[in-house]
Amino acid sequence: MSDFDSLTGEWRARIAAAPDLASLEAERVAALGKQGAVTGLLKTLGGMTPEERQSEGPRIHALREAVTEAIGARKAALEAAELERKLATETLDMTLPMPTGEQGSVHPVSQVMDELAEIFADLGFSVATGPEIEDDWHNFTALNIPESHPARAMHDTFYFGADKDRDGKRMLLRTHTSPVQIRTMQAEKPPLRIIAPGRTYRSDSDATHTPMFHQVEGLVIDRGTHLGHLKWTLETFLKAFFERDDIVLRLRPSYFPFTEPSAEVDVGYTVQNGRRVVGGSDGWMEVLGSGMVHPRVIAACGLDPDEWQGFAFGCGIDRLAMLKYGMDDLRAFFDGDLRWLRHYGFSSLDVPTLSGGVGA
Ligand code: 2NL
């Protein structure tokens, strides 16, 4: 056996004995790396006479070929073995039952907010949000509620002590989501169709009022908008929300500083099992406030009221949830009582869709 045959046999044996990919890599470096043994032999070719090179060259190259091939074969074998091991040990039992134990639920307020977004998206509205800590201008002044206006007293406002806005006025917790609509009118070009759902705050607390409550407001700004658009939109919304076709609306003249004319919207109800159910018209319940956006509000946002008109409405989300899902005490909404949450909460998989139904 020539020196080269025994050398080839030696390397083949070392490579075949490599127990894992890391040891195999070490063998590769030892043979073919920059300082490797086979590389060293290749380097000797440069110092040979042409005759020597002619006889030694093919042998050294053949050795390199053999080593390279052996490494490739061993690598494939080690990788195949590794895959076999993974397939044998890393199993997933698809027949295991769902995890059990404590499970959360979607709060009715969150559920109703999702329902509102779904219903209004279908009518071309997008959802707008904004800060809960507001300045005086966005919460009051832009809405045609100046300093002395009696409506300021109607909103029992939570004011901050030290933090002042640009006009030197105290910051406050927004008393409605209207400032979100003001900000949208300032930032975006009409036509606009938005709803603004979110937390609002008033210093008020009894069986039907909590200091924090949820409101949704809607706003449409376009050319030639009129009361008919408002009534159709509210009727379409309430029919989709309560999932009934026998919804009857009654618009009563009212007053809000930010709309003119203004209308309070009552929805007809019938009594079933001693409980008021929306639909029919045995009696009336107030559910919404609404009106045509006051030209002064449009102008305050930098738009020309002669070109742009609009309607707006607002209502309490908590109250909508109570009417639809039958709770009778608002305060329980914010107690965090697990029994209440389990009873009235929704599955996170129960996503409201118009095709699948926005109800429970
Ligand atoms: C209610 C009444 C209402 C609005 C909210 C609004 C917003 C802008 C301009 C004009 Cl930016 N109006 N919002 C209009 C009418 C009524 O809410 O009773 N909410 C609970």
Side-chain angles (χ1 to χ4, degrees), residues 3-235:
D3 283 357
F4 273 103
D5 287 340
S6 62
L7 206 52
T8 305
E10 233 170 75
W11 276 111
R12 281 202 173 120
R14 281 176 67 168
I15 289 163
D20 51 44
L21 288 167
S23 331
L24 180 64
E25 175 61 9
E27 295 298 347
R28 189 194 65 77
V29 171
L32 305 173
K34 262 198 192 120
Q35 317 289 329
V38 177
T39 309
L41 285 175
L42 282 163
K43 280 180 191 160
T44 62
L45 287 172
M48 292 181 190
T49 63
E51 293 72 33
E52 284 174 326
R53 204 177 298 140
Q54 201 142 55
S55 66
E56 293 304 301
R59 294 185 196 177
I60 298 174
H61 281 293
L63 172 64
R64 193 189 54 179
E65 285 290 300
V67 168
T68 306
E69 200 186 283
I71 289 172
R74 183 63 187 151
K75 188 159 185 252
L78 285 171
E79 280 171 352
E82 173 66 7
L83 181 62
E84 275 308 313
R85 189 193 62 75
K86 278 190 179 167
L87 287 173
T89 55
E90 297 178 9
T91 57
L92 202 57
D93 184 352
M94 303 303 282
T95 67
L96 284 173
M98 289 258 288
T100 52
E102 290 303 303
Q103 282 180 28
S105 60
V106 176
H107 195 283
V109 170
S110 301
Q111 183 76 11
V112 167
M113 283 189 179
D114 290 347
E115 293 174 15
L116 294 168
E118 178 70 13
I119 293 167
F120 278 101
D122 198 47
L123 302 178
F125 288 64
S126 50
V127 173
T129 56
E132 291 175 23
I133 297 170
E134 266 296 0
D135 57 52
D136 196 272
W137 190 85
H138 288 95
N139 194 78
F140 289 126
T141 310
L143 286 148
N144 193 34
I145 315 175
E147 214 71 51
S148 60
H149 202 287
R152 286 223 185 193
M154 277 160 51
H155 295 223
D156 307 278
T157 314
F158 284 115
Y159 285 98
F160 286 83
D163 299 319
K164 301 274 170 38
D165 66 16
R166 274 175 308 161
D167 306 323
K169 300 226 171 68
R170 282 183 295 168
M171 298 293 283
L172 48 86
L173 288 174
R174 67 183 183 195
T175 58
H176 44 197
T177 57
S178 311
V180 176
Q181 329 236 60
I182 295 294
R183 288 176 183 280
T184 308
M185 277 194 271
Q186 289 181 303
E188 285 169 34
K189 274 210 186 83
L192 298 173
R193 283 195 285 266
I194 54 165
I195 58 167
R199 290 184 172 137
T200 49
Y201 303 84
R202 292 185 199 179
S203 170
D204 206 347
S205 192
D206 59 37
T208 55
H209 297 87
T210 46
M212 187 284 298
F213 58 103
H214 298 87
Q215 197 192 26
V216 62
E217 286 202 17
L219 175 74
V220 168
I221 300 285
D222 208 333
R223 297 183 176 94
T225 317
H226 57 71
L227 268 180
H229 296 125
L230 167 64
K231 194 179 180 201
W232 180 88
T233 303
L234 294 181
E235 200 169 84

Side-chain angles (χ1 to χ4, degrees), residues 142-143 176-183 185 202 213 215-219 221 256-259 262-264 286-294 297 301 311-316:
L143 286 148
H176 44 197
T177 57
S178 311
V180 176
Q181 329 236 60
I182 295 294
R183 288 176 183 280
M185 277 194 271
R202 292 185 199 179
F213 58 103
Q215 197 192 26
V216 62
E217 286 202 17
L219 175 74
I221 300 285
F256 301 109
F258 26 86
T259 46
S262 304
E264 222 119 37
E286 190 187 317
V287 287
L288 284 142
S290 66
M292 301 308 293
V293 180
H294 198 295
V297 175
C301 297
F311 64 80
F313 55 88
C315 77

Side-chain angles (χ1 to χ4, degrees), residues 242 276 278 285 287 318-327:
F242 289 107
R276 286 180 182 189
V278 173
M285 280 188 286
V287 287
D318 311 314
R319 199 168 126 69
L320 279 182
M322 290 169 79
L323 278 175
K324 181 164 177 177
Y325 296 114
M327 305 82 160

Side-chain angles (χ1 to χ4, degrees), residues 233-315:
T233 303
L234 294 181
E235 200 169 84
T236 304
F237 154 53
L238 291 170
K239 280 181 177 170
F241 182 73
F242 289 107
E243 296 180 290
R244 293 179 71 124
D245 272 328
D246 62 346
I247 299 284
V248 195
L249 295 191
R250 187 174 77 171
L251 269 63
R252 261 183 304 110
S254 183
Y255 174 78
F256 301 109
F258 26 86
T259 46
E260 181 60 36
S262 304
E264 222 119 37
V265 181
D266 298 338
V267 64
Y269 67 83
T270 43
V271 177
Q272 278 161 35
N273 310 319
R275 176 169 246 149
R276 286 180 182 189
V277 176
V278 173
S281 56
D282 291 350
W284 299 98
M285 280 188 286
E286 190 187 317
V287 287
L288 284 142
S290 66
M292 301 308 293
V293 180
H294 198 295
R296 278 199 211 132
V297 175
I298 297 199
C301 297
L303 299 173
D304 177 3
D306 289 330
E307 184 178 5
W308 302 105
Q309 304 77 41
F311 64 80
F313 55 88
C315 77

